[in-house]
Amino acid sequence: MIIADYHTHTVFSHGKGTIEENVERARLMGLKEVAITDHGLNHMVFGLSDRKLIKMRKIIDDLNDKYQDIKVLLGVESNIISRSGVIDIKPHEFQLFDIVLCGYHKVVWGKNLTETVKFIGKNDIMQVFNKADKPSLVKANTKTLIESVMNNPIDVLTHPNHDMVIDPVEVAKVARDYGTYYELNGKKINVSDEVLQKIADTGVEFIINSDAHTANRVGEVNFPLEVMKRVGIRESQVANFNKIPKFRSQGR
Ligand SMILES: [Zn+2]
Ligand SMILES: [Zn+2]
């Protein structure tokens, strides 16, 4: 079974639950670890701030003192903010977190105005016009995500292929080489079973997370578990299946 959930949102971004409510639910689900991973700083609407982070760390420290049966991690779901794979967590900011996730998100400020228009704006508009799988764009996006993984100690790539179309097999190879987990998300797995099989064949390690936005969905991973079984992904290839993973950002 999945014994830890490393992707949950709270009221600190656009989730509905408090940190403690997420933790309570995780305990109820029998989890050994849970990460609070609200959206990175460049999200136009939901982004974290330094002030919020200080508050979150205090709450999480207190919860770790209060509960002996679960470990709570302070994390972040960072955004990709440039064509060259820059993310909105700077190298010196990694030390603020116990885990750093990264995914492409719409409605994010780019690194600067040019990136907001040419990278994020372009991907978002191509989605609207159903042209997000244009080969030249897919090629550019694949390179972007690969550079993110190579240049930042990202622990988990969240919902790959969602809103930014990539070649997931090429990304998986680099994630495997750099020790970044490929997420099987609780709600969206944006590849076919055939492609997922090819991703598994690269040897990349998966991680299964809920991406809960309400406390009652923390630890809810039936959908990715079904996909895992259907495709025939081995338990040993899933980092949080009956075991606690180590993370690259923490010197894995
Ligand atoms: Zn996300
Ligand atoms: Zn998320």
Side-chain angles (χ1 to χ4, degrees):
M1 65 183 270
I2 297 301
I3 60 166
D5 187 350
Y6 295 103
H7 187 171
T8 78
H9 294 275
T10 72
V11 289
F12 280 97
S13 59
H14 62 323
K16 298 276 189 295
T18 64
I19 294 178
E20 182 150 19
E21 283 165 350
N22 279 22
V23 172
E24 289 284 6
R25 182 66 185 183
R27 293 177 66 231
L28 204 66
M29 298 292 281
L31 301 184
K32 303 282 177 242
E33 294 197 351
V34 64
I36 306 299
T37 56
D38 282 306
H39 284 286
L41 298 93
N42 276 48
H43 202 289
M44 288 181 193
V45 192
F46 312 127
L48 293 171
S49 63
D50 292 351
R51 245 196 8 239
K52 280 187 189 173
L53 280 179
I54 292 167
K55 263 195 202 168
M56 293 171 85
R57 177 57 84 188
K58 169 87 176 82
I59 294 169
I60 287 172
D61 283 349
D62 289 349
L63 289 170
N64 277 319
D65 284 342
K66 184 171 171 186
Y67 299 121
Q68 304 307 309
D69 56 351
I70 192 161
K71 185 173 158 195
V72 189
L73 280 65
L74 173 60
V76 61
E77 185 176 14
S78 65
N79 300 294
I80 303 163
I81 56 169
S82 87
R83 178 47 81 201
S84 63
V86 173
I87 67 171
D88 62 351
I89 301 297
K90 296 185 182 73
H92 70 274
E93 292 168 337
F94 270 76
Q95 57 173 18
L96 299 170
F97 302 99
D98 306 316
I99 178 173
V100 176
L101 321 181
C102 177
Y104 178 84
H105 296 95
K106 290 191 278 199
V107 206
V108 163
W109 292 111
K111 190 179 153 204
N112 51 41
L113 187 61
T114 310
E115 297 292 346
T116 307
V117 174
K118 287 197 164 171
F119 170 54
I120 293 158
K122 183 165 184 192
N123 267 297
D124 294 357
I125 283 173
M126 294 297 258
Q127 287 279 340
V128 173
F129 290 105
N130 268 328
K131 288 188 176 155
D133 56 354
K134 193 177 160 211
S136 60
L137 185 63
V138 174
K139 196 173 165 199
N141 286 341
T142 303
K143 190 163 178 283
T144 297
L145 198 50
I146 285 173
E147 298 215 348
S148 296
V149 171
M150 286 171 57
N151 297 332
N152 305 279
I154 294 164
D155 297 311
V156 178
L157 287 178
T158 59
H159 45 68
N161 219 28
H162 179 69
D163 284 341
M164 179 175 88
V165 182
I166 52 163
D167 180 336
V169 176
E170 289 308 309
V171 169
K173 286 180 194 163
V174 178
R176 171 200 64 202
D177 292 347
Y178 282 78
T180 296
Y181 298 115
Y182 188 108
E183 183 184 68
L184 296 179
N185 186 283
K187 287 175 289 192
K188 44 206 183 213
I189 296 177
N190 297 71
V191 295
S192 66
D193 286 4
E194 290 71 29
V195 173
L196 189 54
Q197 180 68 65
K198 286 187 187 146
I199 293 167
D201 288 344
T202 67
V204 72
E205 276 190 86
F206 295 100
I207 200 161
I208 290 185
N209 293 320
S210 69
D211 198 2
H213 286 68
T214 53
N216 65 7
R217 290 206 68 254
V218 172
E220 177 67 58
V221 290
N222 288 334
F223 167 61
L225 278 179
E226 267 171 36
V227 174
M228 174 192 161
K229 293 206 176 102
R230 196 169 68 220
V231 172
I233 294 171
R234 288 169 292 115
E235 290 173 7
S236 59
Q237 202 172 350
V238 179
N240 56 342
F241 201 105
N242 285 336
K243 55 186 184 285
I244 295 293
K246 290 220 174 359
F247 293 110
R248 181 184 167 194
S249 70
Q250 307 299 307
R252 176 194 188 210

